[in-house]
Amino acid sequence: LCHELSVSFQEPKFGPPWGTHFRRVPSRPKPVSPTLDAGLSGEPPQEQDPAPQRKKEIAVVGGHWIDPGGDTGAPGEREMNLHIADRVTSKLARRGWAVWRPENNEKGREDYTWPEYLDWVGDRTRDNVAVVEIHGQGKIGEIPAQGVIGDEGSPLNRVLGEKFGFFPIDYTRRGVPRHGGTIVEAFDTDEFRKLTPLERYAAAESVSDSIANSVCKAYDDEAKAVLPGCSATGCPVDVGYARRKGFRVKSYGAPRKNSAAPS
């Protein structure tokens, strides 16, 4: 049902800046409070998390497209993030997956505020939908360019980590992993800039194949491994979000606490 793709190269059709985008319009998130912790005090009421459901549904997000402010990543990264996210979406859709794309919504890109988006990630996670945000990163000193930022114990992150490694940072320092998603620093932006357009396209195809194949590889075991109220990429551990939603924080394992890495 979710077999791996064999990598086959096809002549790309180039267009500004990275070809035709594969678009899917998701539902908008429910309205959220503009103040994350307003009026909250004491312990949250206990809520019974529903048992995880086995479903081929995932959210794939191009990094630096939702409410980026002045942070648009390394030169060329933002466009490549979206291109790879589009390719992952297309490959998973061909295998029967329903793919959420929050940066491609009915009101246009960058419509969500950052707090709305983080609530959206948490809500998808609580509904057992994994969230994968795709980024690129240049190597800085001894810090590697590639790696997963998320709970190492979650089913999909374990598989992604086999391919990309884990980025040396406590994942709870980042908003998306703190709400149950994962960030994949999937490619070296410095190396990608050295490639010709055709080489860069082929490299992006390889990266998108790795992510799509990882999603499918994790699918077979995740029904047993996913915790209630969590997804294959993690659990919401943000205290403010948990209080507003009325549940106790839990996780698959302890966060990494190695050397810090830049955004």
Side-chain angles (χ1 to χ4, degrees):
L1 293 175
C2 198
H3 59 279
E4 290 191 358
L5 277 178
S6 58
V7 179
S8 59
F9 180 77
Q10 296 181 346
E11 185 69 19
K13 296 180 180 179
F14 290 105
W18 296 108
T20 302
H21 294 147
F22 184 97
R23 301 177 188 274
R24 187 179 183 89
V25 179
S27 299
R28 288 278 292 163
K30 294 180 180 179
V32 296
S33 169
T35 305
L36 294 182
D37 295 308
L40 297 170
S41 62
E43 289 295 323
Q46 294 304 296
E47 179 181 289
Q48 185 66 37
D49 290 321
Q53 299 179 11
R54 186 170 174 78
K55 53 187 176 183
K56 295 171 74 173
E57 187 175 355
I58 193 169
V60 177
V61 188
H64 296 297
W65 281 92
I66 297 176
D67 194 13
D71 183 13
T72 57
E77 180 203 343
R78 187 173 187 248
E79 292 76 15
M80 183 55 72
N81 293 343
L82 187 63
H83 172 71
I84 292 175
D86 287 344
R87 298 300 296 138
V88 172
T89 297
S90 179
K91 291 170 184 181
L92 288 176
R94 293 204 306 268
R95 302 186 210 186
W97 286 75
V99 182
W100 294 75
R101 293 300 302 276
E103 79 276 47
N104 289 339
N105 62 73
E106 67 269 25
K107 291 188 177 180
R109 293 195 181 104
E110 306 179 56
D111 184 63
Y112 301 153
T113 65
W114 190 247
E116 283 179 327
Y117 171 56
L118 293 183
D119 268 24
W120 186 91
V121 172
D123 292 347
R124 299 287 73 71
T125 299
R126 297 267 294 155
D127 195 32
N128 312 129
V129 177
V131 179
V132 178
E133 189 175 280
I134 298 169
H135 286 259
Q137 173 79 33
K139 187 174 181 180
I140 301 177
E142 298 301 316
I143 298 175
Q146 293 178 305
V148 175
I149 304 175
D151 190 333
E152 291 187 38
S154 66
L156 179 51
N157 290 355
R158 287 199 302 266
V159 179
L160 288 167
E162 293 173 2
K163 179 64 180 179
F164 297 99
F166 284 91
F167 210 66
I169 188 174
D170 178 349
Y171 75 86
T172 64
R173 293 177 54 189
R174 301 292 182 87
V176 169
R178 199 166 60 247
H179 286 75
T182 194
I183 294 173
V184 182
E185 301 286 0
F187 62 97
D188 187 327
T189 56
D190 296 330
E191 293 301 319
F192 262 51
R193 283 199 298 273
K194 298 175 184 177
L195 302 176
T196 66
L198 201 61
E199 291 171 336
R200 191 158 48 244
Y201 180 90
E205 284 295 283
S206 178
V207 170
S208 62
D209 275 327
S210 294
I211 295 172
N213 290 339
S214 294
V215 171
C216 285
K217 183 178 179 181
Y219 175 73
D220 289 337
D221 295 328
E222 71 177 43
K224 296 179 181 178
V226 173
L227 296 175
C230 303
S231 78
T233 49
C235 304
V237 296
D238 185 87
V239 175
Y241 175 79
R243 286 177 177 172
R244 285 185 289 111
K245 298 294 182 176
F247 66 91
R248 287 188 181 276
V249 168
K250 57 187 168 185
S251 67
Y252 288 94
R256 290 181 65 92
K257 292 184 179 179
N258 295 335
S259 58
S263 299

